[in-house]
């Protein structure tokens, strides 16, 4: 049973669709990169799957069922810029928010939830910063806090929106180690990704997107010059082998 | 003066008024703190102004000054204003600031027209509806005060109950939705609590200054802490202090409106916070920086590194 199945998904803010007839399936226990140019609808795809924005048409199945947040099978890491980091709270508290679904209405997170949250901070190398005000964290550290919060959700499928954007090398390594750890535990992780150079190194599967699905499958089969040219519309050229550059038109 | 104060404090009605304005201050401080972080402070201002036409219509329809009836009128137009703002933002190209401004001025203008109309009616010219402009808690009596105190207490209780949900909704709405929280319902609920706080507060603080009781304790509290729960508690305490102080001052003199004194007290608390709060206060930061610079300079002199930053080219 595939964790994520999307059929003919169409999303339109206005007349022109942002996503049109997108179909793909995701195998369990893999790292999947969602790749495409700016405006291809990568973030929109994730948001539509999670029901954060309405879809115009199509079917989305998570483990063969209509997605319901309260089933708690899905963890979500939004773009770091989507929240106000001046919010009065510390790192541990943000991670604890990942436990709120388990805690339930009207109750406060207990000692066990705090232990789990600390454990998750440790996994992203942030346990020293548990009590640090979030505005005083660096961009990479904020990203790791978001990852820890998703881990605290204890989900089976994770959606991550551009986790590698604007982070330092240490954070990038920490994130990729974490992704591999999740994979070893049999979790499925979908990552919206920008940097073509690291795709082959990081992901087992890729999904090339530009309003439509261009191609989806194992990285070595799908991540080809031909498919990439179709995705990026000829704005792409190879310099030397395995080195890609997106031309600025 | 002391005798007067003692006499006032021993008066049963004044005690109730004090309890009422204190609870009101807590409720406004708590809800205002959350509204501030949700960047909805100005919605409170619009709702307060929009309560005026509701009060006048309720008076014209019922023909009597029953506080309960007037507050129902205030609630209806207040809610209408709040949802109008949300509707305008979500369904037109008008941005939030313009939408709030539009709704506030339209409702308040209409309210003033109605108030003029009310004062021309035989029963209206001594109806005391004018008190709703600047607030007159001190003249409240009996059941009206108990209504205010009870409603404020209920607001505080509900907010405490759903505090965790409001917190995640405020910090990261899409994550809250991903957790399975009914974010639409929670938004609606919070807006309704805010409207309720405003409506309960306008008799004490008045429609023009009610927003100050929502915003000022909250921004003052933000200076003292980096924890949301502490900020909300401090904001509630500041609100309570302002409510009590304003009421006492207003009670001491004949015909002094309560609202302005509540707001002046809240502003004083804000100024103290802005200047002297540990870590964030302007004066505190300034003193720390001077001490720090001095220490850095001294260290360099001691180590003979006066020119360490200087490189010969």
């Amino acid at each position: 049973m595939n964790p994520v199945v999307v059929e003919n998904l169409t999303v339109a803010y206005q007349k022109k669709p942002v996503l049109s007839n997108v179909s793909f399936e995701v195998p369990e226990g893999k790292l999947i990169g969602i790749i495409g140019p700016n405006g291809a609808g990568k973030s929109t795809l994730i948001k539509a799957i999670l029901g954060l924005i309405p879809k115009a048409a199509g079917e989305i199945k998570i483990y063969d069922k209509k997605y319901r947040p309260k089933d708690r099978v899905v963890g979500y890491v939004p773009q770091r810029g989507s929240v106000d980091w001046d919010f009065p709270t510390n790192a541990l508290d943000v991670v604890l928010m990942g436990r709120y679904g388990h805690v339930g209405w009207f109750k406060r997170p207990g000692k066990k939830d705090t232990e789990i949250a600390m454990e998750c901070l440790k996994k992203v190398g942030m346990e020293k910063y548990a009590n640090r005000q979030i505005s005083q964290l660096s961009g990479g550290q904020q990203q790791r806090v978001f990852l820890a919060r998703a881990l605290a959700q204890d989900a089976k499928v994770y959606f991550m929106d551009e986790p590698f954007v604007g982070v330092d090398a240490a954070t990038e390594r920490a994130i990729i180690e974490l992704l591999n750890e999740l994979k070893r535990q049999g979790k499925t992780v979908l990552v919206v990704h920008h940097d073509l150079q690291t795709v082959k190194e990081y992901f087992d599967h890729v999904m090339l997107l530009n309003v439509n699905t261009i191609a989806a499958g194992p990285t070595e089969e799908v991540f080809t010059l031909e498919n990439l040219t179709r995705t990026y519309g000829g704005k792409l050229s190879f310099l030397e082998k395995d080195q890609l550059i997106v031309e600025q038109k | 003066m002391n005798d007067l104060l003692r006499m006032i404090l021993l008066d049963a009605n004044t005690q109730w008024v004090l309890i009422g304005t204190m609870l009101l201050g807590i409720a406004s401080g708590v809800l205002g703190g959350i509204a501030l972080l949700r960047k909805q402070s100005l919605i409170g201002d619009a709702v307060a102004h929009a309560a005026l036409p509701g009060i006048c219509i309720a008076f014209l329809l019922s023909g009597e000054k029953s506080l309960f009836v007037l507050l129902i009128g205030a609630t209806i137009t207040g809610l209408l204003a709040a949802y109008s703002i949300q509707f305008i933002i979500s369904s037109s190209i008008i941005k939030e600031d313009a939408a709030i401004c539009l709704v506030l001025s339209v409702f308040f203008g209409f309210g003033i027209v109605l108030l003029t109309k009310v004062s021309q009616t035989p029963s209206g010219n001594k109806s005391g509806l004018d008190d709703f402009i600047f607030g007159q808690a001190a003249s409240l009596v009996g059941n009206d005060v108990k209504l205010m105190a009870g409603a404020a207490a209920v607001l505080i209780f509900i907010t405490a109950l759903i505090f965790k949900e409001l917190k995640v909704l405020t910090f990261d709405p899409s994550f809250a939705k991903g957790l399975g929280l009914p974010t639409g319902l929670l938004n609606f609920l919070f807006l309704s609590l805010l409207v309720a706080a405003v409506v309960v507060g306008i008799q004490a603080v008045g429609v023009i200054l009610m927003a100050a009781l929502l915003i000022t304790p909250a921004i003052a509290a933000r200076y003292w802490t980096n924890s949301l729960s502490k900020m909300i508690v401090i904001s509630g305490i500041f609100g309570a202090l302002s409510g009590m102080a304003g009421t006492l001052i207003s009670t001491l003199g004949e015909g002094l409106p309560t609202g302005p004194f509540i707001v002046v007290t809240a502003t004083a608390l804000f100024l103290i916070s802005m200047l002297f709060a540990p870590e964030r206060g302007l004066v505190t930061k300034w003193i720390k920086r001077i001490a720090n610079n001095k220490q850095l300079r001294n260290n360099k002199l001691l180590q003979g590194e006066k020119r360490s930053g200087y490189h010969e080219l």
Side-chain angles (χ1 to χ4, degrees):
Chain A
M1 185 168 50
N2 285 331
V4 182
V5 178
V6 174
E7 276 172 17
N8 297 321
L9 176 67
T10 299
V11 176
Y13 293 117
Q14 265 134 37
K15 206 171 177 188
K16 193 164 169 257
V18 189
L19 291 172
S20 171
N21 278 319
V22 171
S23 300
F24 67 101
E25 286 181 20
V26 163
E28 191 166 30
K30 302 281 184 205
L31 299 182
I32 298 111
I34 300 174
I35 320 282
N38 290 333
K42 304 186 293 290
S43 297
T44 307
L45 175 65
I46 286 192
K47 286 181 187 154
I49 293 174
L50 296 176
L52 298 176
I53 51 173
K55 56 185 181 359
E59 283 277 343
I60 296 159
K61 291 269 168 66
I62 306 280
Y63 280 102
D64 224 20
K65 277 183 4 200
K66 190 174 175 297
Y67 168 60
R68 290 184 313 176
K70 62 176 178 194
D71 290 340
R72 300 206 296 264
V73 289
V74 170
Y76 175 41
V77 182
Q79 285 188 14
R80 183 161 46 85
S82 64
V83 304
D84 177 6
W85 289 93
D86 264 334
F87 193 84
T89 192
N90 61 30
L92 179 63
D93 223 28
V94 172
V95 178
L96 266 175
M97 289 180 190
R99 301 298 303 165
Y100 283 8
H102 300 255
V103 175
W105 283 85
F106 310 133
K107 281 177 273 178
R108 303 270 180 268
K111 206 175 153 208
K112 190 163 161 279
D113 297 299
T114 310
E115 277 167 20
I116 292 171
M118 273 312 286
E119 195 64 32
C120 295
L121 273 173
K122 211 175 218 165
K123 280 183 188 159
V124 296
M126 286 288 292
E127 71 273 24
K128 275 186 294 185
Y129 300 95
N131 294 316
R132 182 75 65 91
Q133 156 70 15
I134 54 171
S135 65
Q136 289 166 8
L137 299 171
S138 74
Q141 290 169 335
Q142 291 173 346
Q143 188 65 59
R144 284 195 251 174
V145 169
F146 260 15
L147 281 166
R149 182 179 68 169
L151 288 182
Q153 284 184 280
D154 192 22
K156 280 154 91 178
V157 190
Y158 285 96
F159 292 89
M160 304 187 179
D161 200 347
E162 307 255 25
F164 295 106
V165 163
V167 302
D168 49 35
T171 299
E172 179 141 1
R173 266 197 308 281
I175 297 175
I176 209 67
E177 266 169 38
L178 184 74
L179 293 184
N180 285 316
E181 166 68 24
L182 287 172
K183 186 168 85 168
R184 275 194 293 278
Q185 294 171 13
K187 318 256 181 185
T188 311
V189 189
L190 289 91
V191 182
V192 168
H193 193 59
H194 236 109
D195 181 12
L196 294 176
Q197 311 224 19
T198 49
V199 169
K200 280 192 173 170
E201 186 190 335
Y202 290 174
F203 299 110
D204 310 311
H205 282 233
V206 290
M207 181 342 213
L208 296 174
L209 183 76
N210 192 353
V211 185
N212 306 295
T213 343
I214 307 293
T219 309
E220 62 272 21
E221 286 171 31
V222 172
F223 197 70
T224 61
L225 178 60
E226 196 205 334
N227 281 338
L228 283 168
T229 313
R230 278 169 59 211
T231 313
Y232 285 82
K235 280 182 263 176
L236 193 75
S237 64
F238 277 79
L239 277 186
E240 285 160 46
K241 75 173 167 79
D242 280 357
Q243 246 206 319
L244 295 164
I245 283 213
V246 182
E247 275 180 11
Q248 302 294 322
K249 259 196 171 172
Chain B
M1 182 79 179
N2 268 343
D3 286 345
L4 185 63
L5 197 63
R6 193 171 304 129
M7 200 178 76
I8 288 166
L9 288 175
L10 287 175
D11 177 65
N13 192 60
T14 311
Q15 287 170 359
W16 266 108
V17 171
L18 277 176
I19 291 170
T21 45
M22 195 182 79
L23 285 170
L24 167 72
I26 297 174
S28 313
V30 165
L31 287 162
I34 299 170
L36 177 78
L37 295 169
R38 291 168 58 83
K39 301 173 179 65
Q40 285 185 331
S41 313
L42 278 174
I43 291 185
D45 196 22
V47 167
H49 282 75
L52 188 60
I55 289 167
C56 295
I57 293 171
F59 179 78
L60 287 171
L61 289 179
S62 68
E64 56 172 339
K65 200 199 166 199
S66 145
L67 184 69
F68 187 68
V69 174
L70 297 186
L71 290 192
I72 286 177
T75 310
I76 292 171
T77 48
L79 281 173
L80 195 65
Y83 301 138
S84 303
I85 292 169
Q86 302 280 303
F87 178 75
I88 292 171
I89 297 167
S90 63
S91 65
S92 77
I93 56 163
I94 297 171
K95 296 278 182 286
E96 188 162 18
D97 57 339
I100 291 171
C101 192
L102 180 77
V103 168
L104 184 151
S105 33
V106 167
F107 275 76
F108 189 60
F110 186 51
I112 293 291
V113 169
L114 287 172
L115 195 61
T116 317
K117 176 95 186 131
V118 167
S119 65
Q120 284 164 357
T121 62
S123 61
N125 54 11
K126 48 182 190 292
S127 66
L129 285 201
D130 293 10
D131 284 350
F132 280 100
I133 303 268
F134 286 117
Q136 193 51 282
S139 65
L140 287 172
V141 285
N143 287 336
D144 291 355
V145 188
K146 287 174 188 163
L147 178 70
M148 179 169 93
V154 169
L155 289 178
I156 298 164
F157 177 73
I158 296 176
T159 313
L161 206 58
I162 57 167
F163 183 71
K164 166 168 113 307
E165 284 74 22
L166 286 176
K167 178 178 179 176
V168 65
L169 180 76
T170 305
F171 176 62
D172 192 346
S174 49
F175 189 78
K177 203 168 178 184
L179 285 174
L181 291 176
T183 50
L185 184 74
L186 278 170
N187 279 324
F188 178 85
L189 186 61
F190 177 74
L191 209 52
S192 308
L193 290 173
L194 195 64
V195 170
V198 167
V199 167
V200 172
I202 48 178
Q203 53 188 323
V205 193
V207 294
I208 296 181
L209 292 174
M210 183 57 213
L213 191 55
L214 287 172
I215 302 166
T216 321
I219 49 175
R222 186 67 186 86
Y223 276 95
W224 294 88
T225 175
N226 277 325
S227 142
L228 177 68
S229 41
K230 282 182 196 146
M231 174 187 151
I232 296 300
V233 169
I234 295 172
S235 180
I237 292 171
F238 282 175
L241 287 174
S242 312
M244 281 169 59
T247 308
L248 276 180
I249 297 168
S250 165
T251 316
L252 286 171
E254 193 67 34
L256 291 178
T258 328
F261 289 105
I262 290 182
V263 172
V264 166
T265 312
T267 309
L269 288 169
F270 164 70
L271 284 175
I272 294 168
S273 307
M274 187 179 76
L275 293 174
F276 302 112
E279 287 185 36
R280 287 178 165 231
L282 290 178
V283 173
T284 325
K285 275 203 285 196
W286 183 64
I287 291 171
K288 267 189 190 162
R289 194 165 56 234
I290 287 178
N292 194 31
N293 287 352
K294 199 172 172 186
Q295 199 185 356
L296 283 173
R297 274 197 302 272
N298 283 347
N299 284 350
K300 280 194 174 170
L301 283 174
L302 283 176
Q303 292 163 11
E305 285 181 56
K306 198 178 170 190
R307 291 172 57 157
S308 64
Y310 180 81
H311 295 279
E312 201 90 30
L313 288 173

